[in-house]
Amino acid sequence: DSGVTQTPKHLITATGQRVTLRCSPRSGDLSVYWYQQSLDQGLQFLIQYYNGEERAKGNILERFSAQQFPDLHSELNLSSLELGDSALYFCASSVMGTGDRGNREGYTFGSGTRLTVV
Amino acid sequence: SQELEQSPQSLIVQEGKNLTINCTSSKTLYGLYWYKQKYGEGLIFLMMLQKGGEEKSHEKITAKLDEKKQQSSLHITASQPSHAGIYLCGAHRSYNTDKLIFGTGTRLQVFP
């Protein structure tokens, strides 16, 4: 157990629907990162939150949004789902935000949520 | 195109053989991480390199970051079936960000 908890582990939904993925970071970690992993695109950075605020944005679609709550857990909302959104979605956490120069422990990843859009 | 290119994309080796995986960038890397991923599971942190010329080892896995900090290699000695998985390199693109970008991944299979 890495300490980063992601739920649900698996999700099957239809095109056009909306889903919410949840992540609880490792105890003491203030930053949460969301990644999408698909066969053709590899592991792509979506968005980072640090202590409740958005800190960095990557290749995140407008149909996707995220937030981090006061208890530091984070949710990734995916709407108007398309077949191409099927992927593994990972959450990672680290102690610090910007300025964490080479966290020597690396980021701690959750086990992911496998989303299948049918 | 990917900012971090890994080679080879896949590797099949016999148990006991040595192997090397490379991670190459066209730009300077700030903080180079190696992770291992079992199929469909999360990423496990292996090691992190920051200084040019730095080399680190953990059990039978050694990673190096070249002097110019644009390439890293991961070397496994006497491979075992437990080494099988996907190896991913990750890096920061600048000094002022802790966003990690990842390489394309190398799938390693080790057969008895």
Side-chain angles (χ1 to χ4, degrees):
Chain A
D1 181 8
S2 68
V4 177
T5 304
Q6 287 189 249
T7 57
K9 291 194 181 304
H10 301 277
L11 201 48
I12 301 175
T13 189
T15 54
Q17 295 299 304
R18 172 191 168 93
V19 297
T20 298
L21 312 183
R22 182 189 169 102
C23 169
S24 293
R26 194 179 59 165
S27 178
D29 286 357
L30 300 178
S31 261
V32 169
Y33 311 81
W34 285 98
Y35 286 85
Q36 179 193 56
Q37 186 178 42
S38 59
L39 284 175
D40 57 344
Q41 292 292 319
L43 194 60
Q44 298 290 319
F45 170 76
L46 295 178
I47 197 164
Q48 175 199 358
Y49 276 83
Y50 173 71
N51 205 21
E53 293 187 1
E54 182 183 304
R55 186 57 63 95
K57 231 173 183 177
N59 303 321
I60 187 166
L61 300 172
E62 285 189 10
R63 300 183 285 109
F64 296 179
S65 65
Q67 54 184 328
Q68 186 179 27
F69 295 86
D71 67 353
L72 301 178
H73 90 271
S74 179
E75 292 181 355
L76 180 67
N77 301 296
L78 314 176
S79 61
S80 302
L81 285 167
E82 302 175 359
L83 294 177
D85 297 328
S86 296
L88 262 173
Y89 290 84
F90 286 107
C91 165
S93 71
S94 71
V95 173
M96 297 176 68
T98 301
D100 177 21
R101 291 312 320 126
N103 182 348
R104 300 240 165 217
E105 294 182 352
Y107 299 169
T108 303
F109 279 79
S111 55
T113 293
R114 182 174 292 279
L115 173 66
T116 303
V117 182
V118 297
Chain B
S1 63
Q2 289 283 349
E3 294 185 56
L4 290 178
E5 293 286 342
Q6 286 184 236
S7 62
Q9 286 188 341
S10 66
L11 202 48
I12 303 174
V13 300
Q14 187 174 26
E15 184 176 358
K17 297 294 186 184
N18 303 334
L19 63 105
T20 299
I21 299 169
N22 293 302
C23 175
T24 303
S25 169
S26 57
K27 302 177 183 177
T28 300
L29 303 171
Y30 296 88
L32 189 288
Y33 299 76
W34 282 101
Y35 285 86
K36 178 186 174 185
Q37 181 183 22
K38 293 268 188 185
Y39 180 72
E41 298 180 11
L43 280 67
I44 306 297
F45 171 74
L46 294 176
M47 55 192 84
M48 182 262 181
L49 306 164
Q50 195 165 17
K51 300 176 183 176
E54 189 173 6
E55 178 175 325
K56 285 187 178 177
S57 295
H58 176 67
E59 297 179 347
K60 294 184 179 180
I61 301 177
T62 300
K64 301 178 185 179
L65 183 61
D66 79 356
E67 290 290 342
K68 294 183 180 179
K69 297 201 295 181
Q70 290 187 241
Q71 183 175 13
S72 178
S73 60
L74 186 82
H75 184 77
I76 299 177
T77 303
S79 57
Q80 301 169 358
S82 60
H83 288 126
I86 300 171
Y87 288 82
L88 291 145
C89 63
H92 300 294
R93 259 290 169 248
S94 72
Y95 189 81
N96 295 322
T97 177
D98 60 1
K99 179 183 80 174
L100 269 183
I101 59 166
F102 282 90
T104 46
T106 296
R107 183 180 296 271
L108 172 64
Q109 295 174 263
V110 181
F111 64 93

